[in-house]
Amino acid sequence: QVQLVEFGGGFVQPGGSLRLSCAASGSIFSINTMGWYRQAPGKQRERVAVITRAGSTTYADSVKGRFTISRDNAKNTVDLQMNNLKPEDTAVYYCQARDDFRTDYWGQGTQVAVSS
């Protein structure tokens, strides 16, 4: 089992920045990919960014050039730096980890609100 705890989130004006952090505990040795997903009201959960154990990254087209995912394997953390935030980035953001058995684990979610 893997437990994920998220930090960060909050309210910001358009063009602002926020940083989300996620700390993993438990069976961390089995974690392969880690990532961030988000779910806006009335919409399906979507993948924002993922990073592999080796550091390869994938981003949703809507956040390319604005968001950066990073991972510290020694600390078992994954961060999401979000710059130039837009109102359409408003959502609940979830940390996700996938282990070598392709089991997904999720954090509790943290709210990001972008509005003027």
Side-chain angles (χ1 to χ4, degrees), residues 103-115:
T103 299
D104 289 335
Y105 300 91
W106 298 91
Q108 78 282 2
T110 185
Q111 177 70 52
V112 171
V114 185
S115 174

Side-chain angles (χ1 to χ4, degrees), residues 28-94:
I28 54 177
F29 60 89
S30 67
I31 295 175
N32 189 339
T33 62
M34 298 187 76
W36 290 93
Y37 287 66
R38 67 186 180 187
Q39 188 167 18
K43 295 187 176 182
Q44 290 189 334
R45 189 174 298 189
E46 64 173 352
R47 186 175 68 180
V48 176
V50 294
I51 184 167
T52 69
R53 184 183 287 146
S56 296
T57 58
T58 304
Y59 294 93
D61 287 342
S62 59
V63 306
K64 284 181 180 177
R66 300 188 298 122
F67 291 12
T68 302
I69 190 170
S70 59
R71 177 173 177 174
D72 188 328
N73 290 328
K75 296 182 179 179
N76 305 308
T77 59
V78 60
D79 292 350
L80 185 69
Q81 177 65 41
M82 305 184 291
N83 298 328
N84 191 21
L85 282 160
K86 304 176 180 181
E88 50 264 41
D89 295 317
T90 295
V92 177
Y93 284 69
Y94 296 90

